[in-house]
């Protein structure tokens, strides 16, 4: 086929003019690599946020009060001591509230004989399992008696259970050590499995709140309070009541900012959408600019190269190349170079994304989208920016090119 | 039948501010199998006439009929096919593709055939053998002498088996020995029945043809038969 012969001539041409080929490829590599990195960061951020939603296990009738003021995932300070069990009791007394679960939380090392693992330890009330709708796999959950007597009992998620105990050992009744304190395993949570973004909801353990306060964490303030309203429509009113209540309890002056913040499913979703939109806008802008630059580089080098190769074009025309042959030859050159740059760019971009993931706090996630985008956009760039030089080459006057 | 027929051909180059009238009413007929040389002073319009003959440029006015087809009415595709199938070009400056082997240079016209031959490789090897370059097939122009390069262009002009060879000063860049060798090939191509049209400044070269056209100032001033003599003799270098 004629078109394949032109394609072959294009590839040979690129080989013969390696300097130009490398320069043209570079422009696209940079464009596509930056696009890839931005896509990965976008995906990574989205994944992280979705993980938070999963972690908190929200329904439409619930929200959380987190200690410390500020924006959703960006508290003003990390260690806030103002949220207390009295606050939780006062919230529970509100008419529109069905259930309240106060939380303490720390990451700790668990030891069983020669096995150890690090996991999140939550101090919660027995209502926790109701509020999450989580099932027990084995044993029992924390109960009112545990709370009253501050017993040293623990319920394990599937992940720490697997890490600490060999298959053949039944964890129920075993003693494990958290810091200097021994706990008896009384229950195992049902396994949920990894989320799509790689978050592990099973990586948690639960102990009675009273025990965590006085025997393990040795602090009286809470990390958060989960609140469930009587119905989804009461959520916003309840949040207003809770705000008033907490400001009064904490003795905040009317001009002082809240020393707590809310997390609601809507709030998270809104944040996700907003940040995704902002990221998308940035993505579009940066990728467009860098691809435009790449395209212009290709176009200019191609134009220069056509001037250098004016004889070649004339000779080909002399021996029977049609205008369409010359156009396809040069268009193939630009598309191929652009595709090559695109593929190398995705490679570089993924490399950078993986680097960011491992060596920086920026969350990234490698997906297939950048490959498809690179394939599409680099072809487009090659086509759009190649057509003018190709036409220019084809419409050169063969008589003059050989003079 | 006339292979080439030109009637009152003129060519005017329009540039900003001025026009150059290069051909001023050229009429000529060339039969199949003729061996014609075109001579004349520099700037007379010889190369211009050849680009029109070779369908690389259209005349400003006049009629050009090539092998029964009126060229003015053809589009780019048809003109390209004619150049590909009926005409082989040989240039003073060789115009080989740089960095491309002799083999691929000779192969190039076959890429643009309407129906490329199945045994293209063999054909290319054959024509290269014919010009005595079978052993230099994989050399690039930079690795070949001037005479060898011009033999590659002869092979290239032949590969599509054209009826007409248009040669614009084929010996202009060569010494007398290499020039003579090129002329030997052109003579042979004419003996095979191909129509040869050769532009030259060199009377010795012109003397190979059986018809000599003289162009001066865009017009044919003489057109006479010629009896080639001592074709085996060397081409005079002094005349160029
Ligand atoms: N594109 C152009 N615009 C204006 N004038 C041109 C153009 N191309 C050629 N000419 C003029 O046409 C005239 C004839 O040029 P041509 O190349 O046909 O001469 P020639 O007979 O082949 O000369 P030589 O023997 O030196 O090769 C010259 O005077 C040249 O300056
Ligand atoms: Mg000339």
């Amino acid at each position: 086929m004629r078109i394949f012969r032109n394609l072959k001539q294009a590839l040979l041409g690129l080989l013969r003019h390696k300097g130009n080929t490398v320069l043209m490829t570079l422009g696209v590599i940079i464009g596509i690599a930056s696009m890839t990195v931005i896509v990965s960061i976008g995906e990574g951020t989205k994944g992280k946020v979705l993980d938070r939603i999963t972690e908190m296990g929200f329904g439409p009738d619930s929200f959380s009060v987190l200690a410390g003021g500020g924006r959703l995932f960006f508290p003003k300070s990390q260690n806030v001591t103002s949220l207390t069990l009295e606050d939780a009791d006062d919230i529970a007394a509100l008419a529109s509230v069905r259930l309240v679960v106060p939380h303490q939380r720390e990451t700790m090392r668990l030891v069983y004989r020669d096995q150890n693992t690090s996991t999140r330890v939550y101090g919660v009330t027995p209502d926790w399992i109701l509020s999450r709708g989580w099932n027990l796999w084995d044993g029992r959950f924390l109960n009112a008696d545990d709370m009253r007597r501050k017993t040293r009992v623990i319920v394990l998620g599937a992940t720490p259970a697997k890490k600490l105990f060999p298959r053949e050992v039944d964890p129920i009744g075993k003693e494990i050590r958290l810091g200097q304190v021994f706990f008896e395993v009384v229950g195992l949570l049902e396994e949920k499995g990894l989320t799509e973004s790689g978050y592990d909801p099973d990586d948690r353990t639960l102990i009675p709140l009273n025990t965590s306060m006085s025997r393990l964490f040795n602090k009286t303030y809470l990390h958060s309070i989960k609140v469930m309203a009587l119905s989804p429509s009461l959520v916003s009113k309840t949040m207003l009541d809770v705000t008033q209540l907490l400001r009064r309890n904490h003795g905040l002056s009317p001009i002082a900012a809240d020393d707590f913040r809310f997390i609601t499913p809507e709030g998270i979703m809104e944040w996700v959408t907003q940040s995704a939109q902002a990221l998308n806008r940035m993505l579009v802008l940066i990728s467009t600019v860098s691809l435009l630059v790449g395209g212009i580089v290709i176009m200019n080098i191609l134009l220069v190269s056509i001037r250098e190769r004016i004889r070649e074009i004339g000779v080909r025309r002399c021996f029977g190349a049609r205008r369409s042959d010359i156009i396809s030859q040069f268009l193939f050159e630009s598309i191929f170079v652009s595709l090559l740059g695109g593929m190398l760019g995705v490679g570089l971009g993924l490399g950078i994304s993986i680097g960011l993931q491992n060596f920086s706090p920026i969350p990234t996630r490698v997906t297939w989208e950048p490959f498809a985008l690179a394939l599409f956009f680099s072809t487009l760039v090659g086509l759009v920016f190649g057509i003018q030089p190709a036409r220019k080459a084809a419409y050169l006057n063969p008589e003059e090119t050989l003079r | 039948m006339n292979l080439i027929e030109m009637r009152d051909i003129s060519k005017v180059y329009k540039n900003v501010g001025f026009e150059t009238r290069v051909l001023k009413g050229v009429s000529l007929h060339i039969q199949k199998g003729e061996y014609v040389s075109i001579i004349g002073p520099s700037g007379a319009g010889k190369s211009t006439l050849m680009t029109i003959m070779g369908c690389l440029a259209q005349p400003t006015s006049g009629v050009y009929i090539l092998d029964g087809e009126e060229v003015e009415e053809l589009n780019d595709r048809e003109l390209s096919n004619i150049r590909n199938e009926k005409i082989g070009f040989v240039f003073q400056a060789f115009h080989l593709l740089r960095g491309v082997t002799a083999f691929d240079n000779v192969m190039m016209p076959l890429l643009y055939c309407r129906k490329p031959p199945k045994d293209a490789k063999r054909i290319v090897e054959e024509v290269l053998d014919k010009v005595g370059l079978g052993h230099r097939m994989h050399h690039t122009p930079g690795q070949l002498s001037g005479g060898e390069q011009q033999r590659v262009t002869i092979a290239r002009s032949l590969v599509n088996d054209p009826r007409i060879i248009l040669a614009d000063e084929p010996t202009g860049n060569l010494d007398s020995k290499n020039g003579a060798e090129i002329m030997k090939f052109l003579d042979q191509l004419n003996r095979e029945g191909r129509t040869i049209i050769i532009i030259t400044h060199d009377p010795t070269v012109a003397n190979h043809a059986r018809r000599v056209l003289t162009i001066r100032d865009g017009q044919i001033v003489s057109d006479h038969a010629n009896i080639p003599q001592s074709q085996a003799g060397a081409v005079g270098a002094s005349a160029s």
Side-chain angles (χ1 to χ4, degrees), chain B residues 46-47 168-169 199:
Chain B
K46 306 182 294 294
S47 295
D168 192 348
E169 305 199 31
I199 291 171

Side-chain angles (χ1 to χ4, degrees), chain A residues 9-31:
Chain A
Q9 291 304 300
L11 297 181
L12 292 174
L14 288 174
L15 276 179
R16 252 184 298 134
H17 302 89
K18 288 193 191 71
N20 285 346
T21 307
V22 169
L23 277 179
M24 288 194 275
T25 313
L26 268 182
V28 184
I29 289 181
I30 294 166

Side-chain angles (χ1 to χ4, degrees), chain A residues 399-400 403, chain B residues 13-15 18-23 40-49 92 168-169 199-201 215:
Chain A
E399 171 205 22
E400 280 169 23
R403 223 171 251 287
Chain B
Y13 287 111
K14 290 196 175 67
N15 288 51
F18 64 96
E19 295 185 344
T20 320
R21 299 193 61 201
V22 180
L23 296 178
S42 185
K46 306 182 294 294
S47 295
T48 306
L49 183 63
Q92 173 176 7
D168 192 348
E169 305 199 31
I199 291 171
T200 184
H201 276 121
I215 295 194

Side-chain angles (χ1 to χ4, degrees), chain A residues 2 5-6 9 16 311-312 315-323 325 329 397-399 402-403, chain B residues 13 51 56-57 76-77 80-81 83-84 89 91 95 97-98 100 108-109 111-114 116 156:
Chain A
R2 205 170 174 111
R5 296 200 293 273
N6 289 328
Q9 291 304 300
R16 252 184 298 134
R311 283 276 148 72
E312 173 189 337
V315 173
R316 287 180 189 275
R317 295 276 283 145
C318 249
F319 285 93
R322 302 167 188 167
R323 287 202 180 110
D325 291 322
Q329 180 183 340
N397 188 342
E399 171 205 22
L402 293 177
R403 223 171 251 287
Chain B
Y13 287 111
T51 60
L56 289 168
D76 177 69
R77 198 188 169 88
S80 301
N81 287 343
R83 290 197 293 268
N84 184 248
F89 292 88
F91 301 98
H95 292 330
L97 300 184
R98 280 185 301 153
V100 175
M108 187 264 286
L111 303 175
Y112 302 113
C113 285
R114 275 188 281 195
R156 180 179 62 182

Side-chain angles (χ1 to χ4, degrees), chain B residues 96 101-103 105-106 128 131 133 136 144 147-157 182:
Chain B
L96 290 167
T101 62
F103 181 90
N105 261 295
V106 174
L128 275 166
V131 297
L133 285 178
R136 290 274 187 275
L144 294 169
E148 287 170 330
Q149 287 185 57
Q150 194 61 306
R151 272 144 65 194
V152 175
T153 73
I154 299 258
R156 180 179 62 182
S157 75
I182 292 301

